[in-house]
Amino acid sequence: MPVSLVAALAAGLLTATAPTAHAAGATLPFTSVEAESATTTGTRIGPDYTQGTLASEASGRQAVRLGSGQRVEFTVPRAANAVNVAYSVPDGQSGSLNVYVNGTRLDRTIPVTSKYSYVDTPWIPGAKTHHFYDNARLLLGQNIQAGDKVAVEASGVQVTVDVADFEQAAGPAAQPAGSVSVTSRGADPSGQGDSTQAFRDAISAAQGGVVWIPPGQYRLTSSLSGVQNVTLQGAGHWHSVVRSSRFIDQSSSSGGVHIKDFAVIGEVTERVDSNPDNFVNGSLGPNSSVSGMWLQHLKVGLWLMGNNDNLVVENSRFLDMTADGLNLNGNARGVKVRNNFLRNQGDDALAMWSLYAPDTNSSFENNTITQPNLANGIAIYGGTDITVRGNLISDTNALGSGIAISNQKFLDPFHPLAGTITVDGNTLVRTGAMNPNWNHPMGALRVDSYDSAIEAQVRITNTTITDSPYSAFEFVSGSGRGYAAKNITVEGATVRNTGTVVVQAEAPGAATFRNVTATAVGAAGIYNCPYPSGSGTFALTDGGGNSGWSSVWSDCSTWPQPGQGNPDPDPSRNLAKGRPATATGSQDVYTPGKAVDGDANSYWESANHAFPQSWTVDLGSTEPVRRLVLKLPPPSAWQARTQTLSVQGSTDGSGYSTLVASRDYRFDPATGNTVTVTLPGTGVRYLRLHVTANTGWPAAQFSEVEAYLTS
């Protein structure tokens, strides 16, 4: 993945750009701009990774809160004539966003409401109220250019703005020759009348042909069935809109169904799993397709059962579902789900669940998934010869990973993972979450032998994991029964800034790691503590080319916390000993490292006659240092002297703050030539002694500088 795109994602800027060779994610017709990166009169919130907060569900874990009359102004990144805004308002409230282009208020507003938000699922263990955000879109009525300013202003309600998508929406397409228009069968494009029967009649009349859905709003009060051997086509999802919470509901079809280029927007405000409140519930039949769709405010986009052989779902947007975006619920053969955008799903964004019959030879490829707020970005529950390739997944919030490869069955008969499971070229950003049921975290990419051992060959290759709040790769038997997670290869991975560990192994099993590099690891490289105790070992084989994660978490009785570092085997040790030291100057052979070499007879001496002078040590990680011991060589030849100095600290080596103000410290051979300085315990990585005077010599001098966590 291009470094520039990874950097933007790490900063919370989920931005779609022109296609780049081998880049993860979908090629999208819009560009997103985060509210926290825009100019605002409101208040930025976050970052936050705590389940159940507005910031934690936001893209980039940050957003902007606007009181009524406050605004956020975006610099438009591309030519556009349309905008979609992801937002949240307090529960039970509604209002609008006024829209300004280059300072001029438009004659149209964006309605905002909590109607589709604040979902509760008490039957799901560990769930809290979630699904805080919603999406609302607007055709601006004019063309704007890159560099123009678009502002949204809260009106009548507090609005938290997450992100804005800017798009050049095409005009409405023309009716295909020979097609049957739903309006010719009595459909009402104003949305006032019930168009259900008109759609049914048009489908019946157009067998083998095209049903045309002209620009307009069409209200359907019940689902369609018996749909087969027909194309349903609109003028584009910005123009042809069907208002229905249950569009197609059928258990079987002879297939050949092609659905494209319109929007289906429902009225689903709660998740009721027994209700088929889905765009498609059941089967479209073999050799069908879905493309160019805008699906919103449904329980599930597509819940697919029965025969859907060789189905292709592509180039569509799934927004604000209360449950899954798409679920291949068994018996999916040769299904391809590719180049889609999914935001704010209430469960797994994309899932394969091999119930009743295995999903086989099916794939999720080059999709962009952001903010699934109760489960995984992508979940594979069983199945044979499955591929997950080239997806970009960000900001999982609770009870899930970016990608989960799992033998969790939920119900029987279940078909576990078999054959080869290919997980290749995926990028995961800020994925993984705390699981309150386990009381420990889930990794960015999880392999879970939940209900049975992993017997398939699991091949995880060319993975990028950035800013995971917890671990990068997790191997677990989520039921706590200790089934083996084995036959796993991880090759060609880049891990940056993972909160705890690179490998979180909690089940017996085995994996080979090859060419896996990690930087900025929060606690240790490896947590290897299979559960339950005595269930076996997890064997990590070093296949070569690995770097940056060789350390092992030393205490299986505790969980590593983000940025904690490994448990200190000796909390009373000298943190500065042997650490890199620098200074503003040195005299002859009396170099900075002499003050941390453990030898009180050697010493650092600054350049002479050149006060002030500074000496700095890098402790290697941020530590709450509470005590410094400063020493000079103990022989009596060193006469008593007073040095005037202050103590400064820094977390990054660039900005320093004063920990202890400047004062005089007396060094006397009669008392060991030792001085103790008490520090406030502020977390610092870099400690600096700033010396302005020495009564015994015209230079700063220390034989040892010792740093301790204890007072």
Side-chain angles (χ1 to χ4, degrees):
M1 186 176 189
V3 173
S4 59
L5 184 50
V6 171
L9 286 161
L13 307 177
L14 182 59
T15 302
T17 58
T20 304
H22 310 298
T27 300
L28 301 173
F30 61 87
T31 303
S32 299
V33 182
E34 297 287 337
E36 64 270 18
S37 69
T39 302
T40 184
T41 58
T43 303
R44 291 177 175 85
I45 63 171
D48 187 359
Y49 291 83
T50 306
Q51 181 185 0
T53 68
L54 270 175
S56 71
E57 277 199 17
S59 172
R61 312 301 177 114
Q62 300 179 77
V64 170
R65 180 180 291 121
L66 304 177
S68 185
Q70 292 182 319
R71 65 175 61 183
V72 57
E73 184 177 74
F74 299 92
T75 300
V76 178
R78 55 172 293 163
N81 61 4
V83 65
N84 176 75
V85 177
Y87 71 91
S88 177
V89 298
D91 196 8
Q93 299 186 30
S94 61
S96 62
L97 289 169
N98 299 322
V99 182
Y100 297 79
V101 174
N102 295 324
T104 300
R105 181 173 168 177
L106 301 187
D107 61 357
R108 57 196 71 187
T109 63
I110 300 175
V112 293
T113 178
S114 65
K115 179 180 180 180
Y116 307 102
S117 305
Y118 301 93
V119 173
D120 288 298
T121 52
W123 64 91
I124 298 177
K128 298 181 179 180
T129 301
H130 59 282
H131 208 65
F132 299 131
Y133 288 88
D134 193 33
N135 286 263
R137 62 182 188 169
L138 179 71
L139 287 168
L140 297 171
Q142 61 180 278
N143 292 316
I144 55 177
Q145 303 302 317
D148 284 345
K149 306 294 185 180
V150 171
V152 293
E153 177 186 74
S155 177
V157 69
Q158 175 184 285
V159 183
T160 299
V161 178
D162 180 17
V163 64
D165 309 324
F166 292 94
E167 176 177 357
Q168 187 70 43
Q175 179 176 354
S179 62
V180 177
S181 174
V182 294
T183 56
S184 73
R185 295 302 190 268
D188 179 4
S190 74
Q192 299 300 308
D194 182 355
S195 295
T196 308
Q197 191 59 48
F199 270 66
R200 290 172 177 162
D201 291 346
I203 290 169
S204 179
Q207 286 300 293
V210 176
V211 171
W212 172 244
I213 306 171
Q217 302 268 341
Y218 301 89
R219 184 169 62 89
L220 272 60
T221 58
S222 59
S223 58
L224 305 175
S225 60
V227 181
Q228 56 192 0
N229 191 30
V230 70
T231 296
L232 306 180
Q233 181 176 345
H237 64 66
W238 284 96
H239 309 289
S240 300
V241 179
V242 174
R243 299 284 179 176
S244 172
S245 297
R246 302 176 182 180
F247 187 63
I248 292 177
D249 185 3
Q250 56 189 26
S251 60
S252 64
S253 170
S254 63
V257 176
H258 304 286
I259 306 174
K260 61 182 182 178
D261 301 337
F262 59 99
V264 174
I265 301 176
E267 286 294 321
V268 177
T269 59
E270 298 293 341
R271 174 175 172 174
V272 181
D273 283 352
S274 59
N275 290 347
D277 296 332
N278 312 325
F279 162 59
V280 174
N281 189 70
S283 171
L284 292 176
N287 304 310
S288 296
S289 66
V290 175
S291 63
M293 298 295 293
W294 178 294
L295 307 175
Q296 188 177 14
H297 295 156
L298 303 158
K299 184 185 74 175
V300 177
L302 291 90
W303 186 270
L304 297 169
M305 303 172 287
N307 187 346
N308 291 284
D309 291 1
N310 305 314
L311 171 69
V312 176
V313 179
E314 62 185 355
N315 305 327
S316 296
R317 295 180 222 186
F318 297 70
L319 302 169
D320 310 323
M321 309 298 173
T322 61
D324 298 11
L326 176 148
N327 192 308
L328 303 179
N329 191 210
N331 202 43
R333 295 181 293 246
V335 174
K336 298 182 185 299
V337 180
R338 63 196 183 197
N339 206 63
N340 300 287
F341 177 77
L342 300 97
R343 175 187 286 153
N344 192 36
Q345 313 304 306
D347 208 302
D348 299 320
L350 295 175
M352 299 189 200
W353 179 18
S354 289
L355 183 65
Y356 303 115
D359 296 321
T360 59
N361 295 304
S362 294
S363 64
F364 294 151
E365 300 190 42
N366 294 103
N367 300 285
T368 294
I369 297 167
T370 180
Q371 300 149 270
N373 44 66
L374 196 61
N376 307 283
I378 288 176
I380 307 299
Y381 302 112
T384 302
D385 297 329
I386 303 299
T387 297
V388 178
R389 176 177 285 123
N391 301 283
L392 171 60
I393 305 169
S394 62
D395 296 309
T396 57
N397 181 260
L399 298 173
S401 301
I403 296 174
I405 307 299
S406 177
N407 270 347
Q408 185 172 8
K409 62 183 182 179
F410 300 99
L411 296 171
D412 283 315
F414 174 76
H415 296 263
L417 298 164
T420 299
I421 310 301
T422 300
V423 184
D424 175 62
N426 299 286
T427 293
L428 310 177
V429 182
R430 296 178 300 273
T431 58
M434 180 60 65
N435 186 323
N437 302 315
W438 297 350
N439 199 30
H440 68 259
M442 307 174 90
L445 197 157
R446 184 174 91 255
V447 180
D448 191 348
S449 51
Y450 196 103
D451 285 309
S452 60
I454 304 290
E455 302 293 349
Q457 300 294 314
V458 180
R459 299 287 178 260
I460 303 168
T461 54
N462 304 313
T463 307
T464 299
I465 298 177
T466 301
D467 294 335
S468 169
Y470 299 103
S471 63
F473 298 99
E474 180 187 14
F475 307 96
V476 65
S477 183
S479 63
R481 287 176 283 176
Y483 295 114
K486 55 187 178 178
N487 305 320
I488 301 163
T489 299
V490 180
E491 183 170 0
T494 299
V495 177
R496 302 185 185 93
N497 197 33
T498 189
T500 56
V501 297
V502 175
V503 174
Q504 180 178 329
E506 304 170 78
T512 297
F513 292 83
R514 187 178 297 112
N515 298 322
V516 176
T517 62
T519 54
V521 175
I526 302 165
Y527 174 98
N528 194 347
C529 304
Y531 180 87
S533 178
S535 61
T537 61
F538 190 88
L540 282 82
T541 300
D542 184 349
N546 301 305
S547 65
W549 56 282
S550 60
S551 62
V552 178
W553 182 256
S554 59
D555 183 4
C556 284
S557 69
T558 63
W559 280 102
Q561 298 300 311
Q564 173 184 358
N566 221 337
D568 194 338
D570 179 11
S572 63
R573 82 185 194 280
N574 172 15
L575 300 174
K577 184 178 179 180
R579 297 301 307 169
T582 58
T584 50
S586 299
Q587 188 71 20
D588 297 329
V589 297
Y590 307 111
T591 54
K594 301 288 187 182
V596 288
D597 63 1
D599 182 359
N601 293 294
S602 65
Y603 62 95
W604 164 69
E605 182 174 303
S606 74
N608 288 191
H609 304 286
F611 286 118
Q613 292 285 321
S614 294
W615 177 94
T616 304
V617 61
D618 177 3
L619 302 179
S621 60
T622 299
E623 304 284 357
V625 180
R626 290 179 171 82
R627 177 168 55 98
L628 292 182
V629 176
L630 312 180
K631 296 181 177 179
L632 288 177
S636 58
W638 281 75
Q639 299 174 354
R641 66 200 64 202
T642 297
Q643 297 195 68
T644 304
L645 62 95
S646 61
V647 182
Q648 301 170 357
S650 173
T651 57
D652 58 9
S654 57
Y656 281 80
S657 61
T658 298
L659 304 178
V660 178
S662 181
R663 54 164 287 191
D664 294 342
Y665 292 91
R666 179 76 172 171
F667 293 82
D668 191 335
T671 54
N673 256 353
T674 298
V675 164
T676 297
V677 182
T678 300
L679 270 60
T682 304
V684 294
R685 173 172 174 172
Y686 299 87
L687 279 170
R688 174 172 292 172
L689 302 178
H690 185 73
V691 185
T692 57
N694 183 349
T695 62
W697 197 258
Q701 297 169 313
F702 301 108
S703 65
E704 285 298 307
V705 178
E706 299 172 353
Y708 297 96
L709 298 176
T710 55
S711 300

